[in-house]
């Protein structure tokens, strides 16, 4: 079977799907006979940038309707290939869950805004008509993470193309095949609409060096980075306009007025989604003492959690964290892995369906302070809501990314929201409601909390231009 992607409505069985995934991977590795047919994938970063520059000039001349048609086609391609993309990502990175990644692709296809979110401002009066038109930056350089490799490519791609830009990706080296397969699908979509090519481009073997070319290239007009603290620092120091969607360590606070049974279910569902890879996911729980036992009871009895105690907690820390020169780093072998796999590594046999590992600890505990991206939830007891808010501010670490709370007291929710001051604040729901999954609003996989754009969409990727017509065109 030569096939390596699906069209909308095309159905295949499990064996055929496996074969398609194997085909795509072989071609992405460059070891299949027709490997080079993937669209938008270059060997060299300078060539990729040059191609995206030519493509942007062509896109700019096309009507908005053409951008809409391309975006509709991209949405179709994502829906048709969501299972291939999900399987590829899990196979390539070893992280996350296929079922949840399918849902993330559905979300990105259905709720990433296109041109409709690009609004204009207008003033009309005695002195004429002034408009603020939103135009493209030009060619955007985008850095994508291993945790949402294709979701970020699609989300950035849709928003950036809707705004009239083209985009050059330098994907995470550990998730390149999945990211590049997404780049290829964007170009397949554009080609079907109007013989467009290279609206999104990437390179076959991204490295720090190819990233460096991208950051410094004079034809790159905007940098958009989604990833951890390392890349955020690089973007902020690049000397170019940059949007940095960095790390978070989202706390979730439960006070004594919350519906505790629902809070337990929502927190475990949010924290275990895609094995805790999403940057918005609950990464530690802070709970008022009065209801702490009840919360733990529901987590254990109804939500497939496994509780660690005493020495087991130290074993976990020694396994999932690595000490180097007095500093602690994540052991990447356990990022995004199933709870039962992590438990096995510390000598505990737990059922495969275990969703989350929980334990009680203090706010200084490294497993609570660090962003782990593993289905592990430390629980910190506090005497009241004020101590809870203080603890949450400390653990959020000034990222101002995401924070969540379960409470029925509006004053407490307001106090928490003001104190945390994060780009996303979800109340009484799983964290993923914050990106439009079971919550109102559009979705994004690039939350630029560090540079203040918040949840990015097509409008974020436009420049404002004031167009003034003096003493004419007003008809009032
Ligand atoms: P990562 O930081 O290891 O890599 C992200 C990207 O940055 C990759 O493409 C990588 O190659 C590049 N990169 C990293 N350091 C670099 C450097 N010094 N120079 C040049 N390029 C560099 O992150 P990851 O493990 O792939 O993804 C998880 C991280 O991303 C978490 O911290 C998570 O919170 C964050 N994240 C944030 C958002 C958001 O919207 N704010 C979304 C997804 C992930």
């Amino acid at each position: 079977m030569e096939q390596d992607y699906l069209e909308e409505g095309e159905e295949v069985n499990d064996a055929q799907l496996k074969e398609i995934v194997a085909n795509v991977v072989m071609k992405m590795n460059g070891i299949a006979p027709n490997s080079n047919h993937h669209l938008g994938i270059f060997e060299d970063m300078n060539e990729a940038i040059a191609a995206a520059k030519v493509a942007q000039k062509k896109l700019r001349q096309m009507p908005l309707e053409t951008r809409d048609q391309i975006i509709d086609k991209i949405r179709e391609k994502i829906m048709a290939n969501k299972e291939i993309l999900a399987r590829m990502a899990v196979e390539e990175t070893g992280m996350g869950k296929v079922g949840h990644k399918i849902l993330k692709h559905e979300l990105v296809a259905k709720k990433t805004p296109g041109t409709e979110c690009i609004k204009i401002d207008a003033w009309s009066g005695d002195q004429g008509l002034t408009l603020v038109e939103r135009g493209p930056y030009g060619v955007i350089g985008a850095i994508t993470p291993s945790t949402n490799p294709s979701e970020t490519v699609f989300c950035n791609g849709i928003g950036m193309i809707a705004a009239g830009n083209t985009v050059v990706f330098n994907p995470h080296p550990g998730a390149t095949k999945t990211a590049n397969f997404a780049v290829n699908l964007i170009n397949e979509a554009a080609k079907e609409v109007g013989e467009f090519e290279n609206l999104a481009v990437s390179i076959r073997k991204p490295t720090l060096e190819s990233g460096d070319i991208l950051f410094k290239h004079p034809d790159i007009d905007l940098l958009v980075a989604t990833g951890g603290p390392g890349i955020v620092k690089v973007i902020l120091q690049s000397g170019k306009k940059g949007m940095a969607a960095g790390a978070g360590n989202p706390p979730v606070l439960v006070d004594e007025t919350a519906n505790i049974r629902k809070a337990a279910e929502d927190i475990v569902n949010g924290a275990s989604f895609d094995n805790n890879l999403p940057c918005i996911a609950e990464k530690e729980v802070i709970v008022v003492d009065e209801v702490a036992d009840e919360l733990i009871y529901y987590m254990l009895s109804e939500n497939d959690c496994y509780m660690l105690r005493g020495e087991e907690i130290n074993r976990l820390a020694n396994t999932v964290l690595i000490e180097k020169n007095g500093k602690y780093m994540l052991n990447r072998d356990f990022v995004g892995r199933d709870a039962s796999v992590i438990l096995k590594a510390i000598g505990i046999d737990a059922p495969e369906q275990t969703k989350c590992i929980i334990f009680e600890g203090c706010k200084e505990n490294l497993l609570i302070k660090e962003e782990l991206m593993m289905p592990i939830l430390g629980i910190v007891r506090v005497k009241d809501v004020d101590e809870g808010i203080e603890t949450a501010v400390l653990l959020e670490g000034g990222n101002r990314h995401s924070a969540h709370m379960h409470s029925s007291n509006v004053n407490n929710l307001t106090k928490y929201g003001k104190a945390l001051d994060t780009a996303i604040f979800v109340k009484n729901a799983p964290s993923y409601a914050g990106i439009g999954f079971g919550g109102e609003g559009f979705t994004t996989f690039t939350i630029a909390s560090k540079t203040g754009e918040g949840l990015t969409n097509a409008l974020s990727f436009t420049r404002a231009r004031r167009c003034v017509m003096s003493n004419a065109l007003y008809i009032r």
Side-chain angles (χ1 to χ4, degrees), residues 95 143-148 152 170-173 208 211 215 226-231 234 244-248 277-279 332 371 373 401 445-449:
M95 304 191 293
I143 310 298
T144 54
S146 56
T147 47
N148 307 316
T152 312
N170 196 59
H172 192 290
L208 287 180
F215 304 144
T226 311
I231 187 62
V234 171
L277 290 179
C279 54
R332 297 293 302 197
E371 183 201 33
M373 294 181 285
H401 187 299
F445 283 80
T446 296
I447 300 149
S449 49

Side-chain angles (χ1 to χ4, degrees), residues 284-302:
E284 63 275 344
V285 183
I286 302 152
V287 55
V288 171
D289 188 41
E290 191 184 326
V291 290
D293 289 338
E294 193 183 347
L295 185 77
I296 293 169
Y297 167 78
Y298 283 120
M299 285 173 131
L300 292 172
S301 61
E302 296 185 357

Side-chain angles (χ1 to χ4, degrees), residues 325-401:
N325 306 326
K327 280 192 164 179
Y328 286 87
M329 297 175 352
L330 298 186
N331 183 342
R332 297 293 302 197
D333 289 349
F334 295 102
V335 172
R337 302 300 295 270
D338 290 352
S340 60
V341 171
I342 299 172
L343 286 168
K344 202 171 182 74
I346 60 168
I348 295 173
D349 267 327
E352 219 177 291
Q353 75 270 19
T354 305
K355 283 184 168 172
C356 230
I357 301 166
I358 60 172
F359 65 93
E360 280 200 56
C362 62
K363 58 184 186 293
E364 290 79 18
N365 189 314
L366 279 179
L367 292 172
I368 292 176
K369 270 168 65 178
E370 296 293 321
E371 183 201 33
L372 298 179
M373 294 181 285
M374 301 170 198
I376 297 173
L377 271 181
I379 299 172
V380 184
R381 275 181 201 249
V382 289
K383 68 175 185 306
D384 57 23
V385 76
D386 289 325
E387 190 188 334
I389 293 172
E390 209 177 291
T391 308
V393 169
L394 182 88
L395 293 174
E396 205 279 327
N399 297 306
R400 292 167 72 188
H401 187 299

